[in-house]
Amino acid sequence: VQLQVSGPGLVKPSETLSLTCNVSGASFTNYFWSWIRQPAGKKLEWIGRIYTTGSTSYNPSLKSRVTMSIDTPNNQFSLRLTAVTAADTAIYYCAGSNWNLFDPWGPGIQVTVSS
Amino acid sequence: EIVLTQSPGTLSLSPGDRATLSCRASESVSSNYLAWYQQKPGQTPRLLIYGASSRATGFPDRFSGSGSGTDFTLTIIRLEPEDFAVYYCQQYGSSPPTFGQGTKVEIK
């Protein structure tokens, strides 16, 4: 299974962060699909997950700003995080998950929030 | 949410040594749904242990997990050079799933 994240590495404060994860080599419908992030020097933080039905679950700490979507025919899923601040600067990972057990992980993308 | 605290922050050991890593939860982890991940420099985290003690595919039996409730341990016997990495614990019994801050196992 291979996951690959794409999206801008630099986002301006107050704007929207948008990332897409493309999945290959796996049965897309066999997994939940999650986003996880890690600010430098801080803990890994689960952002949320989506299933192929479109059902989502988000971390309450980010719920008001997060939207996930899924494109099953094209084996990809996406993350939108609105009203970003410097606190959203992090490495963002996409991952396949069995509910909330994460395996495999994609390579991660550094996203910096700065003007 | 459940807060996971890992100790020590850094473990300085030599190849062939035994490593003992601790993960303590702020409340009991439901069904012992506790996982460990290994992250080597420049690589993504990789699932190592799930269900507190079940080893994931591809990891040798020198890795073992134990514990229940709020106290969990990852043990690596006879450290190999490729085992020097950061190890994270994660609970997935309650939502939101949460991670510990990591223990770095470094070469002494």
Side-chain angles (χ1 to χ4, degrees), chain B residues 13-18 78-81 84 107-108:
Chain B
L13 297 168
S14 300
D17 286 349
R18 177 188 187 100
R78 298 187 308 273
L79 279 164
E80 297 285 341
F84 291 90
I107 299 176
K108 187 174 182 179

Side-chain angles (χ1 to χ4, degrees), chain A residues 1-4 21-28 33 74-76 104:
Chain A
V1 180
Q2 291 191 328
L3 296 87
Q4 187 63 48
C21 184
N22 284 277
V23 181
S24 60
S27 176
F28 198 62
W33 300 102
N74 289 305
N75 283 12
Q76 63 182 32

Side-chain angles (χ1 to χ4, degrees), chain A residues 15-115:
Chain A
E15 295 191 346
T16 297
L17 180 161
S18 295
L19 298 174
T20 296
C21 184
N22 284 277
V23 181
S24 60
S27 176
F28 198 62
T29 56
N30 281 358
Y31 292 85
F32 290 85
W33 300 102
S34 293
W35 291 96
I36 298 157
R37 70 181 184 178
Q38 186 172 33
K42 296 189 176 182
K43 290 184 176 182
L44 290 155
E45 179 181 35
W46 175 73
I47 300 171
R49 70 169 181 266
I50 189 166
Y51 191 55
T52 51
T53 58
S55 174
T56 56
S57 178
Y58 300 139
N59 192 320
S61 67
L62 296 167
K63 188 174 184 177
S64 63
R65 299 193 291 129
V66 172
T67 303
M68 293 183 184
S69 59
I70 195 162
D71 179 1
T72 301
N74 289 305
N75 283 12
Q76 63 182 32
F77 61 105
S78 299
L79 168 71
R80 291 183 74 248
L81 181 66
T82 61
V84 297
T85 70
D88 296 308
T89 293
I91 297 174
Y92 285 75
Y93 297 98
C94 59
S97 61
N98 178 353
W99 197 244
N100 286 327
L101 183 65
F102 307 110
D103 179 51
W105 297 56
I109 184 172
Q110 173 68 49
V111 178
T112 301
V113 178
S114 175
S115 55

Side-chain angles (χ1 to χ4, degrees), chain A residues 38 43 93 100 102 106-107, chain B residues 4 37 39 44 88 90 92 99:
Chain A
Q38 186 172 33
K43 290 184 176 182
Y93 297 98
N100 286 327
F102 307 110
Chain B
L4 299 179
Y37 296 85
Q39 186 175 29
T44 60
Y88 297 97
Q90 179 233 334
Y92 54 103
F99 294 83

Side-chain angles (χ1 to χ4, degrees), chain B residues 2-75:
Chain B
I2 294 178
V3 176
L4 299 179
T5 303
Q6 292 185 241
S7 61
T10 302
L11 207 46
S12 298
L13 297 168
S14 300
D17 286 349
R18 177 188 187 100
T20 303
L21 288 67
S22 174
C23 177
R24 179 161 291 179
S26 60
E27 56 189 271
S28 185
V29 176
S30 176
S31 302
N32 291 332
Y33 283 164
L34 192 287
W36 292 90
Y37 296 85
Q38 178 193 67
Q39 186 175 29
K40 297 181 181 180
Q43 298 186 19
T44 60
R46 186 180 167 200
L47 178 65
L48 168 60
I49 297 285
Y50 61 95
S53 60
S54 296
R55 209 166 37 251
T57 304
F59 283 95
D61 59 7
R62 64 177 180 272
F63 291 92
S64 64
S66 62
S68 64
T70 61
D71 290 293
F72 298 88
T73 300
L74 174 67
T75 302

